[in-house]
Amino acid sequence: MVDQPLLRVRNLTRSFPVQGGFFNRIVNYVRAVDDISFEINGAKTLGLIGESGCGKTTVAKLILRLIEPDSGEVMFDGAHVLDFDAAQLRALRARIQMIYQDPYSSLNPRMKVFDIIAEPLNIHYGHQLSAKEIRHRVVDLVKRVGLHENDLGKYPHMFSGGQRQRIGIARALILQPQLLVLDEPTSALDVSIQAKLLKLLLQLQREMQLTFLFISHDMRVIQLMADDVAVMYLGKIVEYGPIEDVFSNPRHPYTQALLAAMPTPDPGNRLDKLVQLKGEIGDPSNIPAGCPFWPRCPQKIGEICERKPPQLLPVNQTTAVSCHLYHEPGHEDFSPLGKSDEILARR
Amino acid sequence: MVTDSPLLAVRNLQVRFETLRGELQAVNGVDLTIYPGQIVGLIGESGSGKSVTAKSILNVLSTPPGITAGEIWYRERNLLDLSPREMSKIRGQSIAMVSQDPMSSLNPVFTVGEQLRDALLWSEIVQDSTSEPSSWNLIDRFTRAGRRRFRRASAQAVEDLRQVELPAPHQQVKNYPHQLSGGMRQRVLTALAWAGQPDLIIADEPTTALDVTIQAQILMLLQDLVKTRGASILYISHDLGVVAQLCDRVAVMYAGEIVEEADVREIFENPRHPYTEALIRATTMASEDDLVEIPGEVPNMLALPSGCHFWPRCPMMIERCASDTPLLAVVGPNHKSKCAVIHGEWV
């Protein structure tokens, strides 16, 4: 366990302009990520969970600076990522790698598996490593992710979805990164294949001391993989804490609804219990005032929910919730960041 | 319920495709029985033949046309004996289909109201036994009867959208599919499927593309419609969680065959095929131990293993599994399994 978290994100915000009308003027802004703070300790997993359009993938891209944030702070291993120049960024991207959702479009169909996996090595250390050394590293890694050395001469189309995702994992791990950002890595796969891939990821995490930012919409996957969980709704984190606490005792009405809506392979509890929410997921370009969740919230208190945006405030030693239900009006003046920081410091 | 005569009885269904690399047996000897008012789940991973089974019931297999053998009894008629003209009266009127992707199954250049109105018009034209149905009737605004039919269908379209709980149906009929969210599109598709008052709906993974809170709403809607209109559903899915919550009876497919079939409670509490058991554990994912290895991948349908198709991945495999073909045998009340090792036929 390290003293400071490997990744620390503070007040990250990014909105995208919506163009339209005469001369393609900017008519509106989509607040994709709104004031998000979290951190991940070394060799741990943070699960980022939420429904489509809530900004999960934008968070991942912001951390890697594939897109630039409007404001906020990203600290990786004690350094301010947002101040990096091009050379530093390149070095950073060897230490943070990403695994994508779609195993079909994320591999170049015209490259052989060996070239796909060796490409990061060639880019970052091409002039330092001999061809023999590169070959050695690739072969070694390919075996660790459960593929065969003979597969290296094949093309991606010759593999199934699960095997392709293994190629993606090998490509991400070849540079021995510290942080792996996994954006729905198994949601395109069949359950039996998903189970094997998750098992592989857990095993690799233990062996290589990897830190995961694991993005998913599937509560079962998050429950299995994550140590901490952050629940996102329309660009904001609505609940944040250790997985055992949040999943066994969900506090935010949205977290409660998400967990209830998860269909379990247990015929005992029937459908009626699954539905706690009415209406559609909100439109990120037209986020309601006050709490973004109030139009769908089954536990709405009253006018305060429509007027005042709740802050992400601690409810106990480890967990923070952004909901007026848990924060008495007297607490409104607390600096939320200060309190969240305290929580994080204690952990 | 069980005392009624079956609504749909599929007997020994075989579907083969001629491919450049040889003949592919996509569905091999499938038996399926659906009673009125029943929701039957057909589970399987990709490539197991569940969608091909569904499509061959409606005879809507696209290219290449499969070679279909066996019997598909709908009430007193074998659908495989019907002429194309007779079959087109069955489709949508007696048996309707809801497909997986709500975007590509709606026509992007017509409003949802127009599409639903046309489905309702067509249904009325087909059911009107006085004349042979023709497309002319669809665009007939020139006769008084045509105009009356048109107005009636337009009003009914709004009413049907209200029934599937689409918010503000009066406005939504004027919207194009791209203006609706995924969940709303799926509601429109559901309304379209019910337009012809069918007594069987084949739902091919209708919630796969949806978020979990929306999925819960759609499942609830399907269940309510079954209760209020007394129809049956053949629900095709790869998600055991959804099937456990929704269905009365479950059939598990592997490599083109049904390997286990039982009532929902029975199959989840007492699975009698190693494949079903592994699937259930891979879906539960309560702990890392649940990620049981089903070694290998879904088999190549062009080169199926001899004997029981599951043996190369099976933890209970004995020598005979690779040579002899097991039969679907009764292992309990209303419970059939194709594992000869489990039902004790082979020792």
Side-chain angles (χ1 to χ4, degrees):
Chain A
M1 194 74 165
V2 284
D3 289 328
Q4 63 174 347
L6 182 69
L7 180 74
R8 204 179 115 124
V9 171
R10 283 283 169 273
N11 309 87
L12 203 59
T13 300
R14 168 74 206 221
S15 48
F16 296 101
V18 180
Q19 292 180 325
F22 200 44
F23 286 137
N24 254 359
R25 276 173 311 184
I26 294 169
V27 289
N28 197 359
Y29 284 92
V30 176
R31 304 193 83 177
V33 171
D34 190 0
D35 197 19
I36 274 185
S37 303
F38 61 83
E39 47 199 49
I40 319 175
N41 287 329
K44 294 282 180 193
T45 301
L46 174 75
L48 200 57
I49 199 162
E51 298 183 281
S52 40
C54 74
K56 311 184 290 280
T57 302
T58 309
V59 169
K61 289 182 176 169
L62 287 172
I63 290 166
L64 280 151
R65 277 186 68 185
L66 295 174
I67 48 179
E68 298 290 334
D70 297 337
S71 64
E73 192 179 286
V74 178
M75 298 261 286
F76 180 73
D77 206 6
H80 285 275
V81 171
L82 299 183
D83 300 337
F84 281 5
D85 59 27
Q88 285 171 307
L89 259 186
R90 194 173 307 133
L92 173 80
R93 285 176 185 155
R95 298 170 69 194
I96 308 181
Q97 283 284 317
M98 187 148 175
I99 292 173
Y100 298 91
Q101 173 172 7
D102 184 355
Y104 294 90
S105 63
S106 59
L107 301 176
N108 187 336
R110 301 176 74 167
M111 286 169 80
K112 288 183 178 167
V113 172
F114 176 84
D115 298 319
I116 289 172
I117 299 175
E119 193 183 24
L121 273 184
N122 286 324
I123 290 170
H124 287 271
Y125 308 111
H127 48 288
Q128 297 163 19
L129 295 172
S130 67
K132 202 175 156 197
E133 172 66 18
I134 288 179
R135 172 104 202 157
H136 176 74
R137 287 202 196 181
V138 171
V139 168
D140 181 52
L141 191 59
V142 151
K143 286 180 185 158
R144 285 178 84 166
V145 300
L147 296 171
H148 197 270
E149 195 179 336
N150 295 346
D151 294 335
L152 288 174
K154 298 181 185 167
Y155 288 95
H157 74 265
M158 301 162 86
F159 295 90
S160 67
Q163 288 170 319
R164 284 178 197 224
Q165 209 55 310
R166 285 167 195 263
I167 299 171
I169 292 172
R171 175 178 62 183
L173 292 180
I174 193 77
L175 293 169
Q176 299 172 331
Q178 290 162 287
L179 176 67
L180 216 49
V181 178
L182 303 111
D183 190 1
E184 308 248 19
T186 61
S187 55
L189 305 176
D190 278 319
V191 276
S192 71
I193 308 299
Q194 161 171 289
K196 277 196 285 186
L197 208 69
L198 293 176
K199 198 168 187 173
L200 172 72
L201 285 169
L202 285 170
Q203 186 190 336
L204 289 169
Q205 179 171 42
R206 275 195 297 270
E207 286 173 12
M208 304 173 77
Q209 289 294 300
L210 293 166
T211 308
F212 287 167
L213 174 61
F214 200 105
I215 297 171
S216 180
H217 68 277
D218 188 333
M219 260 74 57
R220 294 184 291 234
V221 172
I222 291 285
Q223 183 160 30
L224 181 78
M225 300 299 291
D227 300 295
D228 291 315
V229 63
V231 183
M232 281 186 78
Y233 187 78
L234 285 182
K236 282 186 184 283
I237 292 182
V238 297
E239 186 158 358
Y240 178 42
I243 189 91
E244 308 85 36
D245 191 35
V246 172
F247 274 44
S248 62
N249 184 15
R251 292 176 181 85
H252 196 283
Y254 180 61
T255 317
Q256 291 171 1
L258 267 187
L259 285 168
M262 169 172 80
T264 50
D266 164 20
N269 54 42
R270 298 299 289 188
L271 269 182
D272 356 7
K273 289 185 199 145
L274 258 61
V275 186
Q276 297 205 342
L277 294 186
K278 295 262 175 226
E280 301 284 321
I281 299 162
D283 173 7
S285 64
N286 190 14
I287 296 177
C291 170
F293 188 58
W294 75 258
R296 297 177 82 195
C297 185
Q299 296 177 52
K300 186 182 153 198
I301 312 173
E303 172 265 346
I304 184 172
C305 299
E306 295 174 34
R307 178 177 51 82
K308 193 172 177 66
Q311 307 281 4
L312 189 64
L313 292 171
V315 288
N316 63 19
Q317 297 286 314
T318 54
T319 305
V321 179
S322 167
C323 179
H324 290 304
L325 278 174
Y326 301 94
H327 307 300
E328 295 297 313
H331 288 206
E332 281 175 17
D333 297 330
F334 270 138
S335 153
L337 195 62
K339 288 298 273 190
S340 291
D341 270 350
E342 273 175 44
I343 276 199
L344 294 166
R346 271 199 295 270
R347 294 240 302 276
Chain B
M1 205 156 67
V2 186
T3 52
D4 293 346
S5 58
L7 182 67
L8 183 85
V10 176
R11 294 288 169 260
N12 193 23
L13 181 70
Q14 313 267 346
V15 182
R16 291 190 301 277
F17 295 105
E18 298 286 349
T19 73
L20 290 177
R21 286 180 291 160
E23 195 182 76
L24 186 151
Q25 180 99 34
V27 175
N28 187 7
V30 160
D31 287 344
L32 205 61
T33 308
I34 302 174
Y35 290 95
Q38 208 178 26
I39 307 183
V40 176
L42 192 58
I43 302 183
E45 297 186 278
S46 32
S48 61
K50 51 192 193 312
S51 289
V52 173
T53 304
K55 286 182 176 166
S56 46
I57 291 173
L58 277 177
N59 196 2
V60 289
L61 278 170
S62 50
T63 52
I67 303 148
T68 310
E71 295 161 19
I72 301 173
W73 291 96
Y74 170 75
R75 297 189 184 277
E76 261 72 60
R77 299 204 281 174
N78 185 352
L79 298 185
L80 292 180
D81 293 341
L82 296 186
S83 67
R85 190 173 278 270
E86 287 171 313
M87 199 57 212
S88 76
K89 286 190 188 176
I90 295 275
R91 282 189 213 112
Q93 315 311 315
S94 303
I95 306 176
M97 191 151 182
V98 183
S99 62
Q100 172 171 6
D101 181 354
M103 192 62 215
S104 58
S105 19
L106 289 168
N107 190 331
V109 302
F110 291 102
T111 66
V112 295
E114 286 164 347
Q115 294 182 52
L116 186 53
R117 183 198 66 207
D118 284 355
L120 288 161
L121 272 176
W122 183 247
S123 152
E124 191 176 335
I125 293 162
V126 169
Q127 276 160 14
D128 175 12
S129 50
T130 54
S131 61
E132 203 48 30
S134 89
S135 321
W136 155 251
N137 298 81
L138 266 187
I139 51 168
D140 175 17
R141 313 276 182 280
F142 310 104
T143 63
R144 183 170 290 172
R147 280 197 294 272
R148 199 181 305 131
R149 193 161 52 211
F150 181 79
R151 272 199 303 276
R152 204 161 47 226
S154 301
Q156 187 62 39
V158 175
E159 192 45 45
D160 280 7
L161 290 177
R162 195 192 313 281
Q163 292 248 323
V164 294
E165 293 161 31
L166 199 74
H170 280 288
Q171 276 94 56
Q172 301 289 8
V173 287
K174 299 177 197 134
N175 279 341
Y176 289 89
H178 76 268
Q179 292 170 296
L180 307 184
S181 69
M184 283 151 84
R185 280 182 217 140
Q186 201 52 267
R187 286 177 196 275
V188 172
L189 274 190
T190 310
L192 273 171
W194 287 106
Q197 310 280 337
D199 37 28
L200 175 64
I201 290 212
I202 298 175
D204 191 356
E205 311 227 23
T207 62
T208 309
L210 304 178
D211 283 309
V212 5
T213 57
I214 307 297
Q215 164 174 289
Q217 295 174 9
I218 297 285
L219 294 178
M220 194 70 195
L221 172 72
L222 286 175
Q223 197 183 48
D224 283 349
L225 288 173
V226 165
K227 273 186 195 149
T228 53
R229 304 201 183 182
S232 309
I233 295 185
L234 175 62
Y235 193 93
I236 294 162
S237 180
H238 68 278
D239 188 333
L240 277 77
V242 170
V243 167
Q245 302 305 319
L246 182 72
C247 298
D248 304 311
R249 195 165 170 80
V250 180
V252 182
M253 276 191 92
Y254 186 78
E257 298 178 345
I258 288 182
V259 295
E260 185 166 6
E261 192 192 339
D263 291 338
V264 65
R265 200 169 271 280
E266 170 79 5
I267 207 165
F268 280 96
E269 285 167 7
N270 186 19
R272 301 297 301 274
H273 193 284
Y275 179 63
T276 315
E277 204 181 330
L279 273 187
I280 293 173
R281 291 188 72 180
T283 312
T284 316
M285 290 196 295
S287 71
E288 199 181 335
D289 299 332
D290 273 332
L291 301 180
V292 274
E293 293 279 331
I294 308 181
E297 305 267 337
V298 179
N300 179 356
M301 295 299 285
L302 284 166
L304 280 177
S306 57
C308 167
H309 299 325
F310 189 57
W311 76 259
R313 307 176 73 190
C314 185
M316 302 179 62
M317 174 247 177
I318 59 170
E319 222 168 276
R320 260 187 91 175
C321 298
S323 53
D324 295 5
T325 306
L327 296 171
L328 197 63
V330 175
V331 288
N334 254 330
H335 193 162
K336 291 182 217 158
S337 163
K338 208 170 199 151
C339 182
V341 175
I342 278 195
H343 58 65
E345 191 185 314
W346 302 349
V347 188

